[in-house]
Each structure stands twice: as structure tokens, then as C-alpha cells.
Amino acid sequence: MVTLIHTLADHGDDVNCCSFSSSLLATCSLDKTLRLYSLNGFNELPYSPLKYHTYAVHCCCFSPSGHILASCSTDGTTVLWNTQTGLILAVLNQPSGSPVRVCRFSPDSTYLVSGAADGTVVSWNMQTHKLFRCGSVKDGSLVACAFSPNGSIFVTGSSCGDLTVWDDKMRCLYSEKAHDLGITCCDFSSQPISDGEHGPQFFRMASCGQDCQIKLWVTSLTDFLGFELKYKCTLSGHSAPVLSCAFSYDGQMLVSGSVDKSVIVYESNTGSILHTLTQHTRYVTTCAFAPNILLLATGSMDKTVNIWQFELKSHCQVRPGNEPKQFIEDWSEEEVSLWLCAQGLKDLVSIFKMNNIDGKELLSLTKESLTDDLKIESLGLRSKVLRKIEELKVKAESLSSGIPDEFLCPITRELMQDPVIASDGYSYEKEAIENWISKKKRTSPMTNLVLPSLILTPNRTLKMAIDRWLETHQK
């Protein structure tokens, strides 16, 4: 079951792209702006919209950590934004000055790839924000790009219909005519194929195009066999060009958006149609799944972005080796979901996932937060949740009284009192990292790489978590 839970209608022109991080949704538009929304209620952030580009913004994507947002535009630039402040970290100018149509981060955030209308593809070093490598395709504009989950290759798609495969040194490994009338999008499933026919080095990839088709491929790159791209099947369902495709985070679903104004959700393994969504009134230009929950965003030339929620049956299936960890504070969001199901509270799984409730957040829930933040209206249900949480707190107290490692400053190894996030994505005690930088150390204490920026951002979430831990352990 899939339900429309929210519609965003803030853009003044066509929505060109949307992208999720673990806590935010980004959208970009022909109106030259980007907008950022919290997944908790889909409220627009105070510093949104983001404005810099002088022409249409074609694509936006988050770094894997979610700390950086990249956007690219007809103006020939790719801009890097700090997602916590909305400030610009860098402006990357396409060497040819050609309109930039697509951008993607590598899985380890080492590189950002940008593809342009003149067929050039550039790999940017994300530590220095300098050009690393540059290449080009023979014909057409580059309009699609996707990295394999292990980062060993990336694939670009052109308006002439070619899929081109590159390694991490920007060497062209392979090229094939995939869609006769031009490619519009491509995406990798994050889950390796291990069904007996293929080994763990094989990944499923989808491409779509102006020929109204979605094609599924299997890719691999091994020292022994080299690179292989194998066509598997074509998915039908759309009656007009398909403009976007994306896999769900668990690889079980593939979604597509089309000029026929519809969104189709397929079962990845069988290709069968699970849902057809027809809410948009004009071409569906973009679709994206959230990276850790079954949320789907679809954007359209009707200037809106629709948010869809899927039923989370699978999260209540406890498999061997998938039981929650012993220490509740270390639970992931998935483990909280398993615990809810075990307590007979599976109806709350989607609400907790929507609000990113992990183990630490679970232990901090109160009657007020259940009512005001999670919007749980039933008094009996709130009471049951609080009773079960109290039982967990007793268990947590008895298991460990040590300071969680993530509360310790990596420099001083002491409990942080004023945690800040540096541009390397790590949190430090403010005074410690300021002293580190003041001694002319422009490198990260954790990675030893050059810090791309000296901006320090207060980590209020971590500060609140530390304060809650202190309240619990200093009684």
C-alpha cells in the first residue's frame, strides 16, 4: 500500500530534480532555486530557498553523509552547499562553460562528477574542490549519471542514447547504445545480486529514455573478468517517454516517472507493477526514494513535489542475526522498528521511521514528545509506549554506565560540552578544534586530509543527546 502524505508547492516553475538525505529533502527547479525541507513534518528550512544560480537548476544531490548538497545549472556551474547553514562551500565552473545537466557524489564522497550539455564529464576532488579528471563522450549531451555502490565505476547516459562506463580514474571502460531516442536517467540498486546466478560483485542497474522504455542491466567489474554490462529485460507500463527512474534503498522496488504524467512502482526482481500513481497533472520529471525509509518523492512540471509513504511490512520480519543489539543506545532505526513489532506496536513503525527515532532518541521520548512531535493521539497507545520505554531504560542503566564513544571529542577523548561539526563531517569539542586550527593545522584530525572549509557548525542534536545522557547518569 502507498499513500500520498504531503504535497509541496513552493517552486514557481517546473521541478527538475529531488533528492533525499537521511533527514532532508532537496528540490530544484526551472525557477533557479533549490529548496530544503526537514523530513520531520516537511517544513521548509529557515535558510531555504537557496539562491545562486542565474539559470535553471537541473539536478541536485546530497553527499553520502548528507552534510553537502550539490546543484548544477544551465549557467555552467556546480555549487556545493553546507546543508546545516545553507552557505556556499564552493562554486565549480565547468571547464567548457557548457550547461551542467547532472551531478553525482561518489559513495565515499571523494569525488563529485558533473556532466554537461557538450558531452564533457568532469571529476572534482572534494577535498580540494579542484578538477581531478576530465573526459567526454562522442555524441550528445550528458544527462544522466550513477555510481556503482562500491564506487569502482560510474555510468553516464547521453541524449544520443549511449550508456558509457568509466572507472575511478576516468578511463572509459565500455559504451553501448541503450535507448534509441536518448537516455534520460540511470540508477544502481544499492544491493548486490546474490541469487546463485550472480556473485556479490554484480549489481543491478536501470536506465530509461525517450523510447518510453525502462531497461534493467547487470554490471560487474572484477580483476579476472574485467567489466561486463549485461542486458536483462525491458519493463513496460508507460505510454510516453520515461524521464526518471530510481531504486528503493533496499533494492526491492524501482520507480519511474513519465511524460504520460504517471509514476509506476515495479517489483525489482520480477518486473511486475506494484502501484501506478496518477496525482501529477503534467510530466513527471523526477522521482527519488529516501535512503533509509520507504518514502518516495516525485516532482513534476506542474510545479509540485508529492511525498508518498509505503507500508512497512518488511520491517516487522525478524530474521536470524537481525535481532536488536543488546545496548539500546546503539540501536539503529531498523532495530527500533523490530522492537516496536516485538512489543505489538507495529502500527507505529512508520511514524518512528519518519522521525528518525533510533535507540538514543527512543530512550529520550516523553509524553509531550509522543503527543506534540510524533502526533500519537491515543492515550492508551502513548501509555503503552512510555511503559515499554521505561522498561528499556532500566535495562540500559543495568547494562552500561560508560560514556558512549560518540560523546567523546576525537582530539581530547573527553566528554564534549560544546560539540561542533567541522567540514570533514566529524564532531569535536569547539575549543579543541579551534586550538587545532589556530596552530595552522588545516588538516582534519580524523582523516589527515585538508579541511575544505574552516567553518564550524554547532551540533545541537549531539549536544542534546549528551545532556540527556548526563541527566540519566548523574542521578
Side-chain angles (χ1 to χ4, degrees), residues 29-216:
S29 168
L30 206 61
D31 67 10
K32 310 176 190 177
T33 70
L34 297 100
R35 292 182 180 272
L36 279 171
Y37 302 88
S38 168
L39 297 191
N40 185 8
F42 296 98
N43 298 310
E44 190 166 9
L45 300 189
Y47 51 79
S48 178
L50 306 181
K51 296 180 180 180
Y52 173 85
H53 293 292
T54 55
Y55 291 97
V57 187
H58 293 291
C59 182
C60 60
C61 62
F62 286 98
S63 64
S65 68
H67 296 151
I68 301 174
L69 176 68
S71 61
C72 60
S73 166
T74 301
D75 62 18
T77 67
T78 301
V79 177
L80 304 180
W81 308 83
N82 183 319
T83 59
Q84 295 179 320
T85 64
L87 298 177
I88 292 176
L89 299 174
V91 177
L92 312 176
N93 292 287
Q94 199 77 3
S96 62
S98 180
V100 187
R101 303 299 302 275
V102 66
C103 56
R104 288 290 183 271
F105 284 95
S106 63
D108 61 0
S109 295
T110 303
Y111 302 106
L112 175 80
V113 167
S114 61
D118 63 356
T120 58
V121 56
V122 175
S123 178
W124 303 90
N125 184 307
M126 283 294 95
Q127 291 298 323
T128 64
H129 296 159
K130 302 295 184 183
L131 188 149
F132 172 65
R133 292 276 197 278
C134 189
S136 64
V137 296
K138 293 180 180 180
D139 300 299
S141 300
L142 282 184
V143 295
C145 181
F147 273 89
S148 64
N150 59 10
S152 60
I153 60 171
F154 68 92
V155 176
T156 57
S158 79
S159 59
C160 286
D162 295 328
L163 280 176
T164 304
V165 184
W166 313 78
D167 69 7
D168 55 3
K169 301 295 189 298
M170 286 288 289
R171 293 175 295 203
C172 180
L173 303 178
Y174 184 84
S175 186
E176 177 175 328
K177 190 80 167 181
H179 294 267
D180 289 338
L181 302 178
I183 291 170
T184 53
C185 189
C186 59
D187 191 36
F188 275 94
S189 169
S190 63
Q191 303 301 314
I193 300 173
S194 55
D195 56 3
E197 179 185 357
H198 303 291
Q201 295 298 314
F202 290 75
F203 292 94
R204 184 182 287 113
M205 187 186 79
S207 64
C208 58
Q210 299 286 350
D211 56 5
C212 312
Q213 295 182 341
I214 303 162
K215 293 185 177 181
L216 293 183

Side-chain angles (χ1 to χ4, degrees), residues 48 64 201 271 274 342 361 367 379 402 412 448:
S48 178
Q201 295 298 314
L274 300 175
E361 294 294 333
K367 178 176 65 175
L379 174 61
T412 65
N448 210 31

